[in-house]
């Protein structure tokens, strides 16, 4: 069995930084006396990986799911997730006199600054991404003027931008690179004053390109990541177009449902929130059992 593992598989810079930040806060809290220790929270899951979240929960880290839960807190540390949050959440944490630790991915922070500056210049902001994704919801929370979230060429063509209005376009960091280009081309056909800021991070572009290449060269493709991970879902979509035998799994136990006895080459990639040990377990299992 020939196994091709993507070099880019696993934690990206922003995710690793966020996860490390939470474990650092746990270690700092453990160094205190029981009387000095305070609760640790993350605003939303720190990343989209169930294995990591479960481990943090075992260590006492709790998840805040919404503003209402945040306003009920009277003490503790609140860690902003890697996906980022809207500006209002920062103000609420300060109002509650809670300790703020910001683990937002620096690439996402750049988008926050971009849309805020565009709003200040009275530009119309277009955010290309999944409107239900926490990263996109956080970006919306930094727009101080009119904005719209779109995710397809069809939505782009239906837009009605006020005549003469400058349009600033940004993207969710993990959006499909090829799809973003198609959407941008459609926007440029209906808008003359389009300012595009390519905010798809380099790690995403490299991961998608590598996954596409490997999927086109193998008999079967395995994509590892959490079911709620947007970037993993996009990897699966890209690989599925190149290789019909593409499988989406979260952990090694999910692999038992598939039989690779009849294939000669298997490719493996993983989303940006997938821990290294899970990737290694899957790779070892495929190499030794098929």
């Amino acid at each position: 069995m020939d196994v091709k593992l993507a070099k880019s598989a696993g934690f990206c810079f922003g995710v690793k930084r966020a996860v490390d930040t939470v474990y650092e806060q746990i270690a700092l809290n453990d160094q205190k006396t029981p009387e000095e220790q305070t609760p640790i929270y993350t605003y939303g899951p720190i990343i989209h990986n169930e294995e990591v979240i479960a481990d943090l929960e075992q260590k006492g880290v709790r998840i805040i799911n919404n503003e209402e839960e945040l306003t009920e807190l009277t003490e503790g540390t609140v860690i902003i997730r890697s996906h980022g949050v809207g500006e209002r959440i920062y103000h609420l944490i300060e109002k509650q006199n809670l300790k703020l630790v910001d683990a937002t991915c620096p690439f996402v922070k750049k988008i926050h600054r971009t849309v805020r500056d565009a709003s200040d210049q009275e530009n119309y902001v277009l955010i290309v991404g999944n409107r239900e994704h926490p990263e996109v919801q956080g970006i919306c929370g930094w727009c101080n003027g009119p904005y719209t979230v779109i995710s397809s060429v069809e939505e782009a063509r239906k837009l009605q931008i006020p005549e003469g209005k400058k349009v600033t376009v940004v993207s969710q960091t993990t959006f499909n690179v090829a799809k973003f280009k198609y959407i941008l081309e459609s926007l440029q056909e209906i808008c003359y004053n389009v300012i595009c800021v390519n905010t798809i991070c380099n790690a995403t572009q490299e991961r998608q390109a590598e996954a596409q290449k490997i999927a086109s060269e193998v008999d079967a493709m395995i994509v590892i990541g959490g079911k709620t991970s947007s970037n993993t879902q996009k990897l699966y979509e890209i690989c599925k177009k190149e290789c019909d035998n593409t499988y989406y799994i979260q952990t090694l136990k999910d692999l038992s449902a598939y039989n690779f006895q009849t294939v000669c080459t298997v490719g493996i990639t993983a989303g940006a929130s997938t821990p290294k040990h899970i990737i290694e377990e899957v790779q070892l299992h495929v190499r030794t059992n098929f």
Side-chain angles (χ1 to χ4, degrees), residues 18 28 40 91 126 136 145-146 156 180 198 204-205 208 214 231 238 242 244 253 263-264 286:
L28 288 172
I40 298 175
H91 297 322
L126 279 181
V136 173
F180 178 69
N198 186 354
T204 295
Q205 298 183 54
Q208 291 180 3
I214 292 176
N231 74 88
I238 290 168
E242 300 293 335
D244 285 338
K253 64 182 180 181
V263 302
C264 297
V286 173

Side-chain angles (χ1 to χ4, degrees), residues 45-59:
I46 193 67
I47 60 171
H48 281 155
N49 184 274
E50 291 78 0
E51 300 291 316
V52 173
I53 298 306
D55 185 60
L56 292 176
E57 286 179 346
Q58 285 185 341
K59 292 177 169 56

Side-chain angles (χ1 to χ4, degrees), residues 44 102 109 189:
D102 196 349
K109 292 286 271 186
E189 291 175 3

Side-chain angles (χ1 to χ4, degrees), residues 21 26 32 41 57-58 70 72 88 108 137 154 172 177 183 227 255:
T21 296
I26 294 171
K32 300 176 182 177
Y41 306 90
E57 286 179 346
Q58 285 185 341
L70 178 59
E72 293 174 354
R88 174 179 168 81
V108 176
Q137 293 172 349
E154 291 72 25
Q172 183 178 342
V177 177
I183 291 173
K227 292 299 181 183
L255 202 60

